[in-house]
Amino acid sequence: MSPTRRGRRRRANPLRRRSDVVRAWTTLLLGACLVFGAPAAGLGAGWSAYVHNKAAAAEQAASKHRVRAELTQDSPKALPSAEGFGGDEKYRVPVRWTAAGTGFRSGVALVPAGLERGDHTYVWLDSQGRVTAPPKPDADIWLAAFAIGAGAAVVSAVAVVIVRLAVRRAADRHRMAEWEREWALVGPKWSGHRA
């Protein structure tokens, strides 16, 4: 049998309902949305988050500056952990620094564990000269963009699957209703009973 004849037979199939055609085309369309749309939504959301966060970090970096400060108290020692001694802990410790034109200034800054009084560290100051958090590092910006992009892709994929299930359920209900109507017409002829 030639492919064109097979294609014609498929189109003229009396058992195929309109709901079957709608379901097949919807499955094809939603499959394309799942394969292409969900990743595109993730990339778009991730890139948008990256651009926004990068601009915010640049704005923060422009309004902050870093100064060398001296600890006025010892920083607590690192606490032991399962892997050995931790080195990532930071503690609030009083520090002082020299400000241009105003002499010594003091404040409280987060410093690594194990530093002693008189050791030097760097602190970030805002435009009013108060100790503030450092600008967001580029790695954090990328991580946030990746998380937002992955979340958008997952939400898009879940939405496509939910739509697919809803369409399938509606098509099945419609097909069953069509079969009920047709059986009401054909059933009495086959069984000999009148409805």
Side-chain angles (χ1 to χ4, degrees):
M1 185 179 297
S2 72
T4 56
R5 190 166 179 199
R6 243 184 290 151
R8 279 193 221 129
R9 282 183 70 194
R10 222 178 281 135
R11 275 187 249 129
N13 187 346
L15 297 178
R16 190 177 74 206
R17 310 275 184 234
R18 182 174 180 212
S19 60
D20 297 329
V21 174
V22 169
R23 183 175 168 182
W25 278 106
T26 304
T27 299
L28 182 67
L29 178 66
L30 292 176
C33 287
L34 188 63
V35 170
F36 300 111
L43 284 172
W47 183 252
S48 175
Y50 174 77
V51 168
H52 174 73
N53 288 340
K54 187 73 172 173
E59 186 177 309
Q60 282 181 358
S63 68
K64 297 178 180 183
H65 62 283
R66 191 171 86 148
V67 297
R68 187 171 184 221
E70 179 183 339
L71 274 70
T72 58
Q73 285 183 3
D74 291 348
S75 174
K77 302 292 183 219
L79 296 174
S81 67
E83 298 86 30
F85 284 98
D88 294 343
E89 292 96 9
K90 293 197 178 233
Y91 297 97
R92 293 189 169 284
V93 176
V95 295
R96 71 179 185 164
W97 63 93
T98 305
T102 59
F104 283 107
R105 303 273 318 258
S106 62
V108 177
L110 283 174
V111 298
L115 294 179
E116 296 178 358
R117 180 181 178 170
D119 286 346
H120 289 92
T121 187
Y122 286 96
V123 295
W124 286 87
L125 304 176
D126 62 12
S127 58
Q128 282 81 34
R130 295 178 302 221
V131 176
T132 186
K136 237 185 220 181
D138 207 33
D140 288 354
I141 295 170
W142 277 110
L143 185 63
F146 177 77
I148 290 171
V154 168
V155 167
S156 299
V158 168
V160 167
V161 169
I162 289 171
V163 169
R164 166 69 174 103
L165 292 174
V167 168
R168 179 179 178 180
R169 189 171 181 182
D172 286 346
R173 266 198 319 265
H174 188 68
R175 183 173 49 246
M176 292 306 284
E178 285 178 341
W179 284 353
E180 293 276 333
R181 283 192 300 272
E182 289 185 16
W183 183 250
L185 296 173
V186 176
K189 293 179 187 175
W190 281 16
S191 64
H193 294 30
R194 302 262 177 220

